[in-house]
Amino acid sequence: MLVVQKYGGTSVGSLERIENVAKRVAKARDEGKDLVIVVSAMSGETNKLIEYAHHFSKTPSKREMDMLLSSGERVTAALLAIALNEMGYKTIALTGRQAGIKTDNAHTYARIESINTQRLRNEINDGNIVIVAGFQGINNDGEVTTLGRGGSDLSAVALAGALNADACEIYSDVDGIYTTDPRIEPKAKKLDFISYDEMLELSSLGAKVLQNRSVELAKKMGVKIIAKSSFSDGDGTVIADKGENMEEVLVSGVALDKNQARVSLRDVKDRPGIAAEIFNKLADENINIDMIIQNASENGTTNLGFTVPQSELERAKKVMDSFKEEFGSSDYDENVAKVSIVGVGMKSHSGVAAKAFEALAKNNINIEMISTSEIKVSMIIDEKFGELAVRVLHEAFGLGE
Ligand code: ADP
Ligand code: ASP
Ligand code: MG
């Protein structure tokens, strides 16, 4: 039986915790499992490295950021291997490159293109526990790349898929997926099961318990994920295809994303092609746009608003500067948050959005932007009301225990 286990930043956040992980890995090994272990950097490490870079530059080169950030995962992979070796277990630590992970060229947000599993299989056949530094790969030019924040989840899922593993277990500091972040709403309820589609929406909308790309890939490759805690034992939450007879819950979860910034352009010259030009330029810069609003035009001008991840606001401002002639004034707001409700049952029920708006209104929370899809409703609000909005919506849809 081949199992891929991934341990996140908190689980390897100190030497004692690495020791704890080593013991868990050893136990699985004693049960006779072949193991590929993916590790994150120690918690806070990646952020610290980003801060170091920002000491020198607001817009550091993405190639050098990958050189920098990939180091954190190497540290934990090597330390875990050293700990396991000392305990008498044959173990080897590998970088993403050594593990055969090939990506595209999008530095700091690379996509995995393929995995050459030869080395991994050789090491497993030699009786090694294989530890892989998560969050990284190598592109066609031999450059180190990283897979976006939270990307060790993606490494784990991709490896589980490529190796056709029997299980992909993702360990963090929570014992599964909850109806909302239990740190925000202590009444949140643990789910035994959640479908790929709902999990994908939740994680795309800010529930950082699993990286959204990892869920997307898991769905594509049919990798069943089990989310568990590295601090306790329990069955965790299974993330997989929805079974035939599963009941379609109306709303299964609430997510909060505080990493949002709003860009507003006023008096934009309303001519055909202007939106295409602006958004093409943003896309060329790999800036992710989320919500977009454009007002009906008046006297040949219109107002255009959209949201970007906070980390991309500086670059978005630069792009807007290159369009200065096209609009009257611009305004940027980092203090916004996106709160979302997700549920497959929305497909067949009306009134869900109205109920969400009403719940926020009752608490005097103003909604600045709205976007909906078949299975979600997202609202941009003032960041300071983010947690309150989560609790209000959680209550309104009866998600608590
Ligand atoms: P790791 O560092 O192991 O990758 P993360 O910090 O990325 O772990 O993810 C775990 C955290 O995700 C939890 O501590 C919890 O606060 C948060 N979280 C957000 N939304 C949810 C949710 N719906 N269910 C469970 N945890 C959630
Ligand atoms: N260390 C990286 C991050 O903090 C990747 C990960 O933890 O999954 O984003
Ligand atoms: Mg994570």
Side-chain angles (χ1 to χ4, degrees):
M1 176 166 183
L2 173 63
V3 177
V4 173
Q5 295 187 335
K6 178 258 172 176
Y7 292 92
T10 324
S11 304
V12 293
S14 66
L15 300 182
E16 291 71 36
R17 287 185 175 180
I18 292 176
E19 175 114 40
N20 169 53
V21 168
K23 286 183 185 147
R24 296 186 82 100
V25 172
K27 186 163 166 258
R29 184 68 180 162
D30 291 343
E31 288 164 6
K33 292 172 183 157
D34 284 331
L35 295 168
V36 171
I37 310 296
V38 176
V39 287
S40 288
M42 295 168 84
S43 60
E45 199 57 30
T46 307
N47 287 341
K48 191 180 84 189
L49 294 171
I50 292 173
E51 262 173 46
Y52 284 174
H54 286 165
H55 176 78
F56 299 106
S57 167
K58 254 186 173 177
T59 50
S61 139
K62 294 193 160 194
R63 183 208 176 266
E64 304 309 336
M65 284 310 282
D66 280 348
M67 279 298 291
L68 180 67
L69 298 188
S70 57
S71 68
E73 270 66 12
R74 270 179 89 141
V75 170
T76 36
L79 288 175
L80 182 57
I82 291 168
L84 279 160
N85 280 330
E86 189 62 22
M87 290 162 68
Y89 291 85
K90 214 176 154 206
T91 310
I92 184 166
L94 303 177
T95 62
R97 168 197 202 135
Q98 290 168 325
I101 301 178
K102 269 273 174 65
T103 74
D104 65 11
N105 292 331
H107 279 294
T108 74
Y109 204 62
R111 273 181 191 284
I112 295 179
E113 286 184 336
S114 64
I115 300 185
N116 179 343
T117 57
Q118 198 53 55
R119 171 85 190 265
L120 286 166
R121 291 198 191 276
N122 290 345
E123 299 295 353
I124 295 167
N125 291 340
D126 278 355
N128 274 304
I129 298 173
V130 186
I131 319 254
V132 179
F135 179 51
Q136 57 187 277
I138 183 179
N139 69 17
N140 270 327
D141 304 325
E143 303 279 16
V144 178
T145 51
T146 62
L147 309 176
R149 296 308 304 270
S152 301
D153 294 338
L154 182 61
S155 308
V157 169
L159 287 168
L163 292 164
N164 209 357
D166 298 289
C168 180
E169 301 169 348
I170 298 205
Y171 290 88
S172 72
D173 58 355
V174 272
D175 58 353
I177 309 299
Y178 281 70
T179 47
T180 194
D181 189 340
R183 288 193 218 194
I184 299 177
E185 174 53 279
K187 288 187 213 143
K189 198 166 65 186
K190 187 177 88 72
L191 305 165
D192 294 330
F193 175 91
I194 185 166
S195 69
Y196 289 126
D197 289 334
E198 287 168 302
M199 191 64 237
L200 184 56
E201 287 287 1
L202 280 179
S203 46
S204 303
L205 295 168
K208 65 165 192 150
V209 58
L210 286 177
Q211 192 213 30
N212 59 346
R213 281 176 160 190
S214 71
V215 182
E216 194 177 40
L217 188 68
K219 179 179 176 183
K220 202 163 120 194
M221 301 184 85
V223 172
K224 183 169 96 176
I225 299 177
I226 308 170
K228 293 182 170 197
S229 164
S230 65
F231 302 112
S232 60
D233 294 310
D235 293 340
T237 301
V238 172
I239 300 115
D241 265 329
K242 190 170 78 68
E244 290 278 300
N245 307 317
M246 292 294 293
E247 182 195 358
E248 299 221 322
V249 283
L250 191 56
V251 171
S252 51
V254 183
L256 176 65
D257 182 357
K258 294 178 105 178
N259 174 34
Q260 292 276 315
R262 181 171 50 74
V263 176
S264 301
L265 306 177
R266 268 181 283 279
D267 303 324
V268 183
K269 288 180 192 160
D270 198 14
R271 59 171 174 82
I274 178 70
E277 282 171 36
I278 291 179
F279 290 110
N280 271 328
K281 188 79 183 282
L282 289 162
D284 288 345
E285 297 286 323
N286 275 315
I287 297 174
N288 281 310
I289 306 300
D290 186 17
M291 292 194 203
I292 302 176
I293 316 193
Q294 184 177 335
N295 292 8
S297 87
E298 231 176 280
N299 307 324
T301 67
T302 184
N303 294 339
L304 184 64
F306 56 90
T307 60
V308 297
Q310 254 170 35
S311 56
E312 291 173 14
L313 184 62
E314 283 307 317
R315 292 190 302 121
K317 279 185 189 172
K318 274 195 184 164
V319 172
M320 291 311 109
D321 284 345
S322 68
F323 285 98
K324 262 204 309 273
E325 311 299 317
E326 303 285 347
F327 56 81
S329 63
S330 58
D331 169 55
Y332 304 95
D333 188 357
E334 287 204 22
N335 301 317
V336 296
K338 178 170 63 179
V339 61
S340 312
I341 51 175
V342 171
V344 284
M346 282 183 212
K347 281 185 195 174
S348 48
H349 284 80
S350 55
V352 174
K355 187 167 173 179
F357 303 155
E358 194 185 303
L360 295 188
K362 268 194 198 145
N363 287 273
N364 285 319
I365 301 172
N366 187 41
I367 302 171
E368 298 179 27
M369 288 184 185
I370 298 166
S371 81
T372 62
S373 79
E374 261 194 326
I375 66 167
K376 71 122 202 268
V377 179
S378 294
M379 294 148 281
I380 292 287
I381 58 172
D382 189 333
E383 189 176 73
K384 67 172 182 274
F385 296 128
E387 282 84 5
L388 174 63
V390 167
R391 289 190 287 266
V392 162
L393 293 168
H394 196 263
E395 169 88 41
F397 289 96
L399 296 178
E401 309 252 35

